[in-house]
Amino acid sequence: MSILSEFKEFAVKGNVIDLAVGVIIGAAFGKIVDSLVADIIMPVVGVVFGKLDFSNLYVVLGTAPAGVANTLADLKKAGVPVLAYGSFITVAVNFVILAFIIFMMVKQINKLRKTEAAAPAAPAATPEDITLLREIRDSLKRPS
């Protein structure tokens, strides 16, 4: 089998296509969660904790050259080593929210699977040989 035909067989398998769809949806979902955290949750958290902007929380680890503004973006652009823990807080909150949403989705999917599995199935018809064996058993039990 040639490499091209092996690749074709691999690429058209259902699992590979499902994985590709999952990755694409996951990337789009990640952008939605990023926006949710950055545009909705973090501003509310910032208001609760005194109007903090977590994206601008940092510690300068080196010396800033003269004339460089004391903002995170300008310091990074100047190549000054900066410990940007505010960005880490934002990403951590992002992860917790994403993990919670995925947990809730898996929980609901499992709940749906349980209800489908718990649905009563119609009783299966007894095979003819079992019916005959039961009749023989019952006739042997009867007194003659």
Side-chain angles (χ1 to χ4, degrees):
M1 186 178 273
S2 72
I3 291 179
L4 186 60
S5 61
E6 285 182 53
F7 178 74
K8 180 181 174 186
E9 182 181 333
F10 169 78
V12 295
K13 283 185 180 178
N15 293 342
V16 174
I17 295 171
D18 292 344
L19 178 63
V21 169
V23 167
I24 292 167
I25 290 174
F29 190 68
K31 290 179 182 180
I32 291 170
V33 172
D34 286 342
S35 176
L36 175 70
V37 171
D39 300 330
I40 296 173
I41 293 175
M42 292 311 275
V44 172
V45 171
V47 168
V48 169
F49 290 107
K51 297 187 179 184
L52 290 175
D53 180 11
F54 285 100
S55 63
N56 285 319
L57 295 178
Y58 60 92
V59 174
V60 179
L61 299 176
T63 56
V68 175
N70 198 17
T71 64
L72 182 61
D74 291 335
L75 290 170
K76 282 186 173 184
K77 190 188 300 183
V80 178
V82 177
L83 181 70
Y85 65 91
S87 297
F88 176 77
I89 292 171
T90 303
V91 171
V93 169
N94 212 352
F95 170 77
V96 170
I97 291 169
L98 185 61
F100 179 73
I101 290 171
I102 290 173
F103 167 75
M104 294 304 291
M105 286 173 45
V106 169
K107 186 175 177 179
Q108 289 296 31
I109 289 170
N110 288 339
K111 191 176 187 181
L112 290 173
R113 285 184 182 166
K114 285 181 184 176
T115 57
E116 289 175 3
T126 307
E128 186 178 341
D129 58 341
I130 300 296
T131 305
L132 289 172
L133 287 171
R134 286 180 182 166
E135 289 175 6
I136 294 170
R137 178 197 63 202
D138 293 343
S139 68
L140 290 173
K141 285 184 178 179
R142 282 181 277 187
S144 310

